[in-house]
Amino acid sequence: MDGNGRWANERGLPRIEGHRRGADAVKRALKAAQENGVKIITLYAFSVENWNRPKDEVDALMQLLDRFLQEQLTELVKRKIRLRVVGRYQELPEHICERLSHVEAATAEFTDYTLALALNYGARTEVVDAARAIAQAAQAGKINPDELNYEQFAQHLYTKDLPDPDLVIRTSGEARLSNFLLLQAAYAEIYFTPVLWPDFDEKQFKLALTDYAARERRYGQTAEQLQG
Ligand code: FPP
């Protein structure tokens, strides 16, 4: 969800105004996802690197998240959308952790649609956390290292109960993944758009889906194999 800062700069507004508009775009994206039958949407809302931003901006982002969770609880329940957090969430401010746990618990029974929020997320941190957990399990004799395969490894990622993403969308014209779901996105289609996140609306969402629908996913096979 990149481009909030630039959206604000272009209008001579403070960066936080861009994030505020970004939060509105989050609500639109969530609605567009459900209306278009996208069952799981994962939003990269705060990375482990984002702590390095000025304190005012970090505080404002936490406040926006808190308000979003407060406002959206009823909406998520009404629309039967489950909330899942992906990331080191216990390191977030305590009141945010409590709010997240509350919303997760209140929506846990819903199985059709999921909103996953990547918070305090970094793919490298995730892999190291998984490696640590596996090493500990091996030390305790619960895992045989010689038999470890990717499926078992993936059971130690934050996304263990979520399928891999089919499509990754990055806004604002940057063409990089920035430490987002690096393992899970191994076979994902990637869509880069110059649109800044606050301007990403339902029309943009549909354009991304149409682009995705025209892709041929080969998973290492040849086009001929897939046709046969
Ligand atoms: C990147 O844009 C965006 C973020 C670091 C934060 C994303 C947060 C939101 C969209 C709002 C709050 C989230 C929720 C779930 C309510 P940037 O600031 O790096 O933009 P720039 O590259 O143009 O400076």
Side-chain angles (χ1 to χ4, degrees):
M1 299 192 287
D2 202 6
N4 295 346
R6 273 162 287 167
W7 186 95
N9 281 344
E10 282 173 7
R11 290 159 179 80
L13 298 168
R15 289 179 59 82
I16 183 60
E17 190 52 34
H19 292 314
R20 237 173 250 137
R21 296 303 194 100
D24 293 340
V26 165
K27 292 176 212 161
R28 285 200 303 267
L30 190 55
K31 195 157 172 274
Q34 199 174 32
E35 282 170 6
N36 286 280
V38 174
K39 293 188 177 300
I40 302 171
I41 178 168
T42 305
L43 298 172
Y44 200 4
F46 195 85
S47 72
V48 288
E49 290 84 11
N50 285 152
W51 293 112
N52 297 324
R53 293 196 173 203
K55 186 177 179 304
D56 284 0
E57 186 169 339
V58 170
D59 289 349
L61 281 169
M62 292 301 149
Q63 222 172 45
L64 270 179
L65 176 65
D66 197 25
R67 193 177 316 152
F68 172 84
L69 293 167
Q70 261 181 68
E71 282 172 13
Q72 291 296 300
L73 175 58
T74 334
E75 198 65 14
L76 293 174
V77 170
K78 192 170 97 194
R79 286 159 53 197
K80 296 192 173 4
I81 302 173
R82 170 179 71 140
L83 177 82
R84 272 279 279 106
V85 179
V86 170
R88 280 193 176 174
Y89 112 54
Q90 49 313 331
E91 288 172 7
L92 290 161
E94 203 181 325
H95 69 286
I96 299 275
C97 286
E98 282 167 11
R99 179 93 59 204
L100 287 165
S101 303
H102 177 63
V103 180
E104 275 192 331
T107 59
E109 67 187 288
F110 306 132
T111 49
D112 286 352
Y113 291 93
T114 301
L115 164 65
L117 284 182
L119 290 170
N120 197 17
Y121 177 83
R124 289 181 173 177
T125 312
E126 178 183 34
V127 169
V128 171
D129 283 350
R132 186 182 301 107
I134 290 166
Q136 284 165 349
Q139 229 167 19
K142 292 181 190 149
I143 284 182
N144 177 354
D146 292 331
E147 286 171 9
L148 184 67
N149 56 31
Y150 180 71
E151 280 63 38
Q152 283 170 329
F153 188 90
Q155 279 309 304
H156 296 272
L157 296 173
Y158 308 144
T159 52
K160 59 175 186 250
D161 55 345
L162 296 172
D164 286 343
D166 292 308
L167 171 65
V168 174
I169 299 174
R170 177 153 191 168
T171 54
S172 91
E174 308 293 357
R176 51 177 179 263
L177 286 176
S178 297
N179 208 11
F180 183 59
L181 300 181
L182 295 184
L183 283 182
Q184 298 87 336
Y187 287 98
E189 296 298 325
I190 306 189
Y191 178 81
F192 296 114
T193 169
V195 174
L196 302 177
W197 176 252
D199 291 329
F200 195 86
D201 56 11
E202 197 192 354
K203 188 170 149 250
Q204 294 301 328
F205 194 92
K206 279 195 170 159
L207 278 177
L209 293 185
T210 306
D211 188 277
Y212 169 79
R215 309 263 185 114
E216 182 185 63
R217 307 186 75 192
R218 292 205 291 270
Y219 301 98
Q221 290 190 292
T222 66
E224 290 73 21
Q225 280 178 305
L226 292 173
Q227 275 151 24

